[in-house]
Amino acid sequence: MITDDKKEEVRDAADIVEVVGDYVKLKRSGSGFTGLCPYHDEKTPSFNVTPRLGIFKCFGCGESGDVFKFVMDQDGIGFTEAVRQLADRYGVFIPEEESSEPSESLQQKEGIYHALKFAGIYFYRNLIENPDAEKALKYLDNRGYNREVFKKYGLGYAPTGGSDLYKAAMNAGISEEYLVEADLIKPSQRVEGFYDTFRGRLMFPIFGTTGKVIAFAGRVLGNEKTAKYINSAQTKVYNKSEVVYGVNFAKNEIRKNKEVILVEGYTDVITLNEHGIKNVVASSGTALTPGQMKILNRYGEKIIMIYDADNAGQAAMKRGIDIALAQGMEVQLLELPDGEDPDSFVKQFGKESFDELKNKEALDFVDFLLLKADEEGRLKNPVQVGKVISEILHAIASIKESIQRQIYVQHLHQKTQQYRKGSDRELFTELERVMAQKQQEDFRDRRREAFREQRTVDEEGMTGGSIASDEVQTPKALGGRHAPSSKKPQFEKELIRLMITYGRDMVEYICSFTNEKLFEDEELKTFYLDILNRYKEEKEISIQVYSGKQDPFPRLVGDVLLEQYSPSERHEEKVGLKYEKDKNPYRTAKSAIKAMELAFYKRKIAELSERFGRSESQEEKKKIMSSQTLIQEKVTKLTTTYSDDYYPDPSTESENVVNEKKFEYKMKSDRN
């Protein structure tokens, strides 16, 4: 495992302002920096970076975390790779054998990467040196590609022999296991041994966002009756549903332009790049997926799709529209002149003509789908008009922002009024029906997914209570990815903040009056349980510890520590007093505990009221009413008593208390 010392060394060396600055234009604000959030679309900066704590926080969408989480999110990589990437950048040495993954798993992945790198070099050399590659060289020459292009994009040639790569890899000492796992060779069904996956094909390496070869695509060079392209199968380093071809070359340009151009072919990407159009990617020969769109949305806000005019291209385009809209992207579509694809158009007319065509002819998805329907003659048939409108409403229903949906419905109304002769009310009614149908489908999908996940989770309930409990558990889902919430109860966040800020004494005090059942937010409940476990195991509890743990802790640390507004310096100048958030942290804790208990009791009262309404037994109703009365008495007592009087003071003094007067800790019963 990568040791904690090494993680801290990387964290200390990495400048979070510099790292975030590669993705976000930051501006100094007080002791920190602000900018437009890379996690969501916004016009007013709400994204904050605090170098003193080494964390970031967006007060718009709620995302927060440390430098490792930021790199993981922006580059789509795991924790270990993020640590190593930052270590390389800032000159921190991490031995290869150290890893946060089991050594066997890491060794296998590294072996696969090594095999893929070897294959890439092998294919490239064959393209340059092997006489058998004449067809491939001729094809590339017709495309206008020279050796600089071959090298830049790693183009290569797979020999026609059945096992040439396999033999070369064996001579180089590469294990059969890694070659099989990388889908470079396959076991023979006829005789003993293996044969090459790619044979007699022009090879396009597929790179991950960090520039490593993760897979290959091979193009046939003759008129053989076989697939034009074959791609690597899914492997431990290649998830085809989350990879787009060319993103390693395009990501910075996409950020710069806030726009990505999506094409179909590998050569389209290469040619457009070579002609100065660098914010372009292809979907790796697969149907566009939500995972791929999420990667693109990480870098840009707008997508311009260029698909072939054939039936397959049009069907792929329509699926892509829904996926892009669901990810929150602005969608435009561009149709090139008849007989042209991006590669041929740019070669013939150049970058300026392409840019001009894109700026003038790219249409939003509503206009484009209506144009295609008109060209197909569907708008002349009343029945088909209804189907076209329904198809477009299905696309609009994918948009999450209600204002955007409203704008597109009104736009659709204006464009189709000549065919419908009605108002926009019918369109909004139909949209509501479509959205309700989608919600039901999504709910069923989520329920099925939750059911599958639940079967893999330990079903034993968590037991709460005091520190003395030996059965406190941390949920297995702790390390999973959670959507950040900007509506976490403030008093729950406050208790976590106090515990990680003031350590063991504060943990002991707070946990004497609380248990995990009082928490409403699941992530904060998980945080609480983890603190409890560390207390029992006598481990350190601090901001630094939790900033250094894996997700979700760095994100939650940012959420509980950072505040959108800082104390006014002018106020201090006027009144001559400096604002101290925790003059007496235990008094702060009392207020938060009181608010938490009140919220818990109110939830219980609501639950009992719901049970009362469902109950048909008079006996059960009496029990419910009795419980309601008891809880209401507790609520009344809490609301009519100051928190400082309701909860006893700690039994020992603390150096963390800052008071104008000496604050003496006494049990309530010992007070005068």
Side-chain angles (χ1 to χ4, degrees), residues 238-486:
Y238 174 54
N239 182 350
K240 61 180 66 181
S241 67
E242 295 181 357
V243 174
V244 284
Y245 178 75
V247 71
N248 58 305
F249 302 111
K251 60 183 181 181
N252 289 331
E253 285 297 315
I254 296 171
R255 287 195 196 102
K256 180 180 174 182
N257 294 280
K258 297 184 179 179
E259 171 188 286
V260 57
I261 299 170
L262 179 69
V263 296
E264 289 195 82
Y266 302 107
T267 54
D268 291 330
V269 171
I270 295 172
T271 299
L272 266 62
N273 259 279
E274 290 304 298
H275 284 77
I277 305 163
K278 299 183 181 297
N279 57 325
V280 58
V281 299
S283 56
S284 295
T286 62
L288 199 61
T289 68
Q292 291 172 328
M293 194 58 65
K294 190 175 290 185
I295 294 290
L296 297 180
N297 193 24
R298 181 181 299 153
Y299 302 116
E301 304 166 355
K302 175 180 176 182
I303 184 167
I304 298 177
M305 301 180 178
I306 307 176
Y307 280 97
D308 290 345
D310 59 21
N311 290 335
Q314 294 300 302
M317 173 202 67
K318 289 178 180 178
R319 288 193 300 271
I321 289 172
D322 289 358
I323 292 169
L325 291 173
Q327 288 296 327
M329 298 192 80
E330 178 187 348
V331 180
Q332 289 191 340
L333 299 107
L334 177 64
E335 191 170 41
L336 299 177
D338 287 346
E340 300 287 355
D341 57 30
D343 173 86
S344 64
F345 183 91
V346 171
K347 283 176 182 171
Q348 185 175 353
F349 301 106
K351 178 182 184 298
E352 289 185 4
S353 295
F354 179 85
D355 288 340
E356 183 180 355
L357 181 74
K358 175 170 69 73
N359 294 334
K360 287 184 177 179
E361 301 296 331
L363 300 174
D364 68 66
F365 71 96
V366 172
D367 286 341
F368 187 85
L369 292 175
L370 287 172
L371 175 66
K372 298 305 295 181
D374 190 31
E375 289 176 355
E376 295 164 2
R378 298 177 69 192
L379 298 184
K380 296 177 182 177
N381 183 320
V383 174
Q384 288 297 317
V385 168
K387 289 183 178 180
V388 170
I389 291 173
S390 180
E391 290 168 5
I392 297 174
L393 285 172
H394 270 78
I396 293 174
S398 301
I399 301 172
K400 294 178 181 177
E401 295 292 333
S402 60
I403 293 177
Q404 287 297 315
R405 290 197 301 269
Q406 180 179 338
I407 290 170
Y408 277 115
V409 169
Q410 290 171 341
H411 181 53
L412 177 63
H413 166 63
Q414 292 171 357
K415 289 289 184 177
T416 59
Q417 197 171 18
Q418 59 180 310
Y419 307 107
R420 296 172 43 250
K421 306 297 183 184
S423 69
D424 61 1
R425 182 176 299 175
E426 296 94 333
L427 295 181
F428 280 109
T429 301
E430 177 63 12
L431 178 65
E432 288 177 5
R433 186 193 67 78
V434 171
M435 290 183 66
Q437 182 181 349
K438 272 181 171 282
Q439 286 174 352
Q440 289 179 350
E441 292 171 357
D442 291 344
F443 175 75
R444 285 195 293 267
D445 291 342
R446 288 197 302 270
R447 189 168 59 181
R448 283 194 292 268
E449 182 64 26
F451 180 74
R452 284 194 294 268
E453 290 179 358
Q454 186 62 33
R455 286 185 300 183
T456 66
V457 175
D458 187 359
E459 293 183 356
E460 293 182 9
M462 295 180 294
T463 56
S466 66
I467 295 174
S469 170
D470 290 329
E471 300 179 7
V472 174
Q473 302 176 38
T474 299
K476 292 182 180 179
L478 173 61
R481 187 79 181 270
H482 296 274
S485 170
S486 58

Side-chain angles (χ1 to χ4, degrees), residues 114-134:
H114 181 61
L116 290 164
K117 184 176 181 180
F118 173 85
I121 296 171
Y122 174 81
F123 292 143
Y124 173 76
R125 287 179 174 169
N126 270 273
L127 179 65
I128 303 300
E129 302 168 2
N130 193 334
D132 190 30
E134 183 180 352

